[in-house]
Amino acid sequence: KTEVQDSRHEEAKLKAAAQQRAELAKQSAAAVQAEKRLNGSLATERKSVDELRGELSAEKKEARNAEGDLEAKLAAERKQASDTEGKLRNDLKTEVQDSRHEEAKLKAAAQQRAELAKQSAAAVQAEKRLNGSLATERKSVDELRGELSAEKKEARNAEGDLEAKLAAERKQASDTEGKLRNDLKTEVQDS
């Protein structure tokens, strides 16, 4: 009778050990799935960072192109103003030499100078606007750099947290498996 009771007791222990092994297998599978999900999240974060890098590169390129266009436009306007000024000087010299039309030509020259002054003022205003636009573009690029740096830091922190959590789950599973093996070994020896 005692042997039967012991046998039943051992059978119950073996069943409990089998259940613990099954639970450990479930935990291990859950840990693997959690690791897969974490890796997927990390890949998504990395993809987002890569996309932001691409957008930042495109913004930089666009800003450089815009800056080049603005400088070229400003140079063309300055050249046009210089050419106009040279032409006006030549016209004025010819008008001085022609005494019969001196007064009319002087008036025309004065009007042309006024127009040149307007053009010069307009060129200065255009340069100021272009510089303002360039400053805005540079500020936008700096803001994008800051956002990208923050996202990188957040992604690194998330990756570290995920790795620490995975390591803790693996250690817990390993400790549980070791305890189950020791219990099973003790039960087998007792049996």
Side-chain angles (χ1 to χ4, degrees):
K1 182 177 180 181
T2 301
E3 289 176 0
V4 170
Q5 290 177 349
D6 290 341
S7 176
R8 288 177 179 172
H9 186 62
E10 281 187 27
E11 185 178 356
K13 285 183 178 181
L14 290 174
K15 287 182 180 179
Q19 290 177 352
Q20 287 178 340
R21 280 194 292 273
E23 184 63 27
L24 179 60
K26 288 181 181 179
Q27 291 178 358
S28 297
V32 170
Q33 292 298 321
E35 183 177 4
K36 288 181 180 179
R37 288 193 299 273
L38 294 176
N39 288 334
S41 299
L42 183 59
T44 303
E45 290 291 332
R46 286 176 178 164
K47 184 178 179 182
S48 298
V49 170
D50 290 338
E51 290 175 354
L52 285 174
R53 283 178 180 162
E55 292 176 3
L56 179 59
S57 177
E59 289 280 342
K60 285 181 180 177
K61 184 176 180 181
E62 185 178 350
R64 285 195 296 269
N65 292 336
E67 184 177 3
D69 293 340
L70 295 176
E71 289 177 354
K73 186 176 179 181
L74 182 60
E77 290 181 356
R78 284 175 176 168
K79 184 178 184 303
Q80 182 181 0
S82 177
D83 294 342
T84 304
E85 185 177 0
K87 184 177 182 299
L88 290 173
R89 286 175 180 172
N90 291 332
D91 292 343
L92 182 61
K93 184 178 180 180
T94 302
E95 289 166 7
V96 170
Q97 290 173 354
D98 191 356
S99 60
R100 291 177 297 178
H101 302 289
E102 184 176 354
E103 185 177 357
K105 288 185 177 181
L106 287 175
K107 288 181 180 179
Q111 291 176 351
Q112 287 177 341
R113 284 195 203 97
E115 184 64 25
L116 179 60
K118 288 180 181 178
Q119 290 178 357
S120 297
V124 170
Q125 292 298 321
E127 184 177 4
K128 288 181 180 179
R129 288 194 298 272
L130 294 177
N131 288 333
S133 298
L134 183 60
T136 302
E137 290 292 334
R138 286 176 178 165
K139 184 177 179 182
S140 298
V141 170
D142 291 338
E143 290 175 354
L144 286 173
R145 283 178 182 162
E147 292 176 3
L148 179 59
S149 177
E151 294 227 355
K152 282 183 180 176
K153 185 176 180 181
E154 185 178 351
R156 285 196 297 269
N157 292 337
E159 184 177 3
D161 294 340
L162 295 176
E163 288 177 355
K165 185 175 180 182
L166 181 61
E169 290 182 357
R170 284 176 176 169
K171 185 178 184 302
Q172 182 180 0
S174 177
D175 293 342
T176 305
E177 184 178 1
K179 185 176 180 301
L180 290 174
R181 285 179 180 172
N182 289 333
D183 292 344
L184 182 60
K185 184 176 179 181
T186 301
E187 290 173 3
V188 170
Q189 289 175 352
D190 291 342
S191 174

Short mmCIF file of all heavy atoms in Angstrom, two decimals, residues 5-21 180 183-191:
data_model
loop_
_atom_site.label_atom_id
_atom_site.label_comp_id
_atom_site.label_asym_id
_atom_site.label_seq_id
_atom_site.Cartn_x
_atom_site.Cartn_y
_atom_site.Cartn_z
N GLN A 5 1.09 4.17 -2.79
CA GLN A 5 0.97 5.60 -2.48
C GLN A 5 2.18 6.38 -2.99
O GLN A 5 2.05 7.47 -3.54
CB GLN A 5 0.80 5.80 -0.97
CG GLN A 5 -0.56 5.32 -0.45
CD GLN A 5 -0.67 5.46 1.07
OE1 GLN A 5 0.33 5.71 1.74
NE2 GLN A 5 -1.87 5.27 1.59
N ASP A 6 3.38 5.79 -2.75
CA ASP A 6 4.60 6.46 -3.24
C ASP A 6 4.60 6.57 -4.75
O ASP A 6 5.00 7.58 -5.32
CB ASP A 6 5.84 5.69 -2.77
CG ASP A 6 6.04 5.81 -1.26
OD1 ASP A 6 5.47 6.76 -0.66
OD2 ASP A 6 6.77 4.99 -0.69
N SER A 7 4.14 5.47 -5.38
CA SER A 7 4.10 5.48 -6.85
C SER A 7 3.14 6.56 -7.35
O SER A 7 3.44 7.29 -8.29
CB SER A 7 3.67 4.11 -7.37
OG SER A 7 3.53 4.13 -8.77
N ARG A 8 1.98 6.65 -6.70
CA ARG A 8 1.02 7.69 -7.10
C ARG A 8 1.59 9.09 -6.85
O ARG A 8 1.40 10.02 -7.63
CB ARG A 8 -0.30 7.52 -6.32
CG ARG A 8 -1.10 6.30 -6.78
CD ARG A 8 -2.34 6.14 -5.93
NE ARG A 8 -3.14 4.98 -6.37
CZ ARG A 8 -4.21 4.51 -5.71
NH1 ARG A 8 -4.59 5.13 -4.60
NH2 ARG A 8 -4.87 3.47 -6.16
N HIS A 9 2.28 9.19 -5.71
CA HIS A 9 2.89 10.48 -5.39
C HIS A 9 3.93 10.88 -6.44
O HIS A 9 4.01 12.03 -6.89
CB HIS A 9 3.51 10.40 -4.00
CG HIS A 9 4.04 11.72 -3.51
ND1 HIS A 9 3.24 12.82 -3.31
CD2 HIS A 9 5.30 12.10 -3.20
CE1 HIS A 9 3.97 13.83 -2.91
NE2 HIS A 9 5.25 13.42 -2.82
N GLU A 10 4.75 9.89 -6.83
CA GLU A 10 5.76 10.14 -7.86
C GLU A 10 5.11 10.47 -9.20
O GLU A 10 5.58 11.35 -9.94
CB GLU A 10 6.67 8.91 -8.02
CG GLU A 10 7.72 8.81 -6.93
CD GLU A 10 8.69 7.67 -7.24
OE1 GLU A 10 8.86 7.36 -8.42
OE2 GLU A 10 9.26 7.13 -6.29
N GLU A 11 4.02 9.75 -9.50
CA GLU A 11 3.32 10.03 -10.75
C GLU A 11 2.78 11.46 -10.76
O GLU A 11 2.84 12.16 -11.76
CB GLU A 11 2.18 9.02 -10.93
CG GLU A 11 1.47 9.15 -12.29
CD GLU A 11 0.38 8.11 -12.45
OE1 GLU A 11 0.24 7.26 -11.56
OE2 GLU A 11 -0.32 8.18 -13.47
N ALA A 12 2.24 11.88 -9.60
CA ALA A 12 1.73 13.25 -9.51
C ALA A 12 2.86 14.27 -9.69
O ALA A 12 2.70 15.28 -10.36
CB ALA A 12 1.04 13.46 -8.15
N LYS A 13 4.02 13.96 -9.09
CA LYS A 13 5.16 14.86 -9.24
C LYS A 13 5.61 14.94 -10.69
O LYS A 13 5.96 16.00 -11.21
CB LYS A 13 6.33 14.41 -8.36
CG LYS A 13 6.14 14.70 -6.87
CD LYS A 13 7.37 14.29 -6.10
CE LYS A 13 7.24 14.61 -4.61
NZ LYS A 13 8.45 14.23 -3.86
N LEU A 14 5.65 13.76 -11.35
CA LEU A 14 6.06 13.74 -12.76
C LEU A 14 5.09 14.54 -13.63
O LEU A 14 5.49 15.25 -14.56
CB LEU A 14 6.15 12.29 -13.25
CG LEU A 14 7.31 11.48 -12.66
CD1 LEU A 14 7.23 10.04 -13.11
CD2 LEU A 14 8.64 12.08 -13.10
N LYS A 15 3.77 14.38 -13.32
CA LYS A 15 2.79 15.17 -14.07
C LYS A 15 2.99 16.66 -13.85
O LYS A 15 2.91 17.47 -14.78
CB LYS A 15 1.36 14.77 -13.65
CG LYS A 15 0.93 13.41 -14.19
CD LYS A 15 -0.49 13.11 -13.77
CE LYS A 15 -0.97 11.74 -14.30
NZ LYS A 15 -2.36 11.43 -13.87
N ALA A 16 3.25 17.02 -12.57
CA ALA A 16 3.49 18.44 -12.26
C ALA A 16 4.73 18.94 -12.99
O ALA A 16 4.76 20.06 -13.53
CB ALA A 16 3.64 18.64 -10.74
N ALA A 17 5.78 18.11 -13.02
CA ALA A 17 7.00 18.49 -13.73
C ALA A 17 6.73 18.65 -15.22
O ALA A 17 7.24 19.57 -15.87
CB ALA A 17 8.10 17.46 -13.50
N ALA A 18 5.91 17.73 -15.77
CA ALA A 18 5.57 17.83 -17.19
C ALA A 18 4.79 19.12 -17.46
O ALA A 18 5.01 19.80 -18.47
CB ALA A 18 4.76 16.61 -17.63
N GLN A 19 3.86 19.43 -16.56
CA GLN A 19 3.10 20.68 -16.72
C GLN A 19 4.03 21.90 -16.64
O GLN A 19 3.89 22.85 -17.40
CB GLN A 19 2.01 20.78 -15.64
CG GLN A 19 0.87 19.77 -15.83
CD GLN A 19 -0.15 19.86 -14.70
OE1 GLN A 19 0.08 20.56 -13.73
NE2 GLN A 19 -1.25 19.12 -14.84
N GLN A 20 4.99 21.84 -15.70
CA GLN A 20 5.94 22.95 -15.59
C GLN A 20 6.77 23.09 -16.85
O GLN A 20 7.07 24.19 -17.31
CB GLN A 20 6.84 22.75 -14.37
CG GLN A 20 6.11 22.98 -13.04
CD GLN A 20 6.99 22.72 -11.83
OE1 GLN A 20 8.01 22.03 -11.96
NE2 GLN A 20 6.62 23.25 -10.69
N ARG A 21 7.19 21.90 -17.42
CA ARG A 21 7.96 21.97 -18.67
C ARG A 21 7.12 22.57 -19.79
O ARG A 21 7.60 23.35 -20.61
CB ARG A 21 8.47 20.57 -19.05
CG ARG A 21 9.72 20.15 -18.26
CD ARG A 21 10.37 18.94 -18.90
NE ARG A 21 9.56 17.73 -18.80
CZ ARG A 21 9.58 16.90 -17.76
NH1 ARG A 21 10.38 17.15 -16.74
NH2 ARG A 21 8.82 15.83 -17.75
N LEU A 180 13.40 23.38 -12.57
CA LEU A 180 12.60 22.20 -12.94
C LEU A 180 13.48 20.97 -13.15
O LEU A 180 13.14 19.85 -12.74
CB LEU A 180 11.78 22.49 -14.19
CG LEU A 180 10.63 23.49 -14.00
CD1 LEU A 180 9.99 23.80 -15.35
CD2 LEU A 180 9.58 22.91 -13.05
N ASP A 183 14.58 19.76 -9.74
CA ASP A 183 13.47 19.07 -9.07
C ASP A 183 13.23 17.70 -9.67
O ASP A 183 13.03 16.71 -8.95
CB ASP A 183 12.20 19.92 -9.17
CG ASP A 183 12.31 21.21 -8.35
OD1 ASP A 183 13.22 21.27 -7.49
OD2 ASP A 183 11.50 22.12 -8.58
N LEU A 184 13.27 17.65 -11.01
CA LEU A 184 13.04 16.37 -11.69
C LEU A 184 14.14 15.38 -11.35
O LEU A 184 13.90 14.20 -11.11
CB LEU A 184 12.94 16.61 -13.19
CG LEU A 184 12.66 15.36 -14.03
CD1 LEU A 184 11.33 14.73 -13.62
CD2 LEU A 184 12.65 15.70 -15.52
N LYS A 185 15.38 15.87 -11.32
CA LYS A 185 16.50 15.01 -11.01
C LYS A 185 16.38 14.46 -9.59
O LYS A 185 16.60 13.27 -9.31
CB LYS A 185 17.82 15.79 -11.15
CG LYS A 185 19.07 14.95 -10.94
CD LYS A 185 20.29 15.83 -11.19
CE LYS A 185 21.56 15.01 -10.96
NZ LYS A 185 22.78 15.82 -11.18
N THR A 186 15.98 15.36 -8.65
CA THR A 186 15.80 14.92 -7.26
C THR A 186 14.69 13.89 -7.16
O THR A 186 14.81 12.87 -6.44
CB THR A 186 15.45 16.15 -6.39
OG1 THR A 186 16.53 17.10 -6.51
CG2 THR A 186 15.30 15.75 -4.94
N GLU A 187 13.59 14.14 -7.89
CA GLU A 187 12.48 13.18 -7.85
C GLU A 187 12.88 11.84 -8.42
O GLU A 187 12.53 10.78 -7.92
CB GLU A 187 11.31 13.76 -8.63
CG GLU A 187 10.67 14.94 -7.93
CD GLU A 187 9.62 15.61 -8.81
OE1 GLU A 187 9.39 15.09 -9.92
OE2 GLU A 187 9.06 16.64 -8.38
N VAL A 188 13.69 11.89 -9.51
CA VAL A 188 14.14 10.62 -10.11
C VAL A 188 15.04 9.87 -9.15
O VAL A 188 14.93 8.65 -8.99
CB VAL A 188 14.85 10.90 -11.46
CG1 VAL A 188 15.53 9.65 -11.97
CG2 VAL A 188 13.86 11.41 -12.47
N GLN A 189 15.95 10.63 -8.51
CA GLN A 189 16.81 9.97 -7.53
C GLN A 189 16.01 9.40 -6.36
O GLN A 189 16.29 8.29 -5.89
CB GLN A 189 17.84 10.98 -7.02
CG GLN A 189 18.90 11.35 -8.07
CD GLN A 189 19.82 12.44 -7.58
OE1 GLN A 189 19.58 13.02 -6.52
NE2 GLN A 189 20.89 12.68 -8.36
N ASP A 190 15.02 10.19 -5.87
CA ASP A 190 14.18 9.68 -4.79
C ASP A 190 13.43 8.43 -5.24
O ASP A 190 13.28 7.45 -4.47
CB ASP A 190 13.20 10.77 -4.35
CG ASP A 190 13.91 11.90 -3.66
OD1 ASP A 190 15.07 11.71 -3.22
OD2 ASP A 190 13.30 12.99 -3.55
N SER A 191 12.95 8.45 -6.48
CA SER A 191 12.22 7.29 -7.00
C SER A 191 13.14 6.10 -7.09
O SER A 191 12.78 4.96 -6.76
CB SER A 191 11.63 7.65 -8.36
OG SER A 191 11.04 6.54 -8.94
#
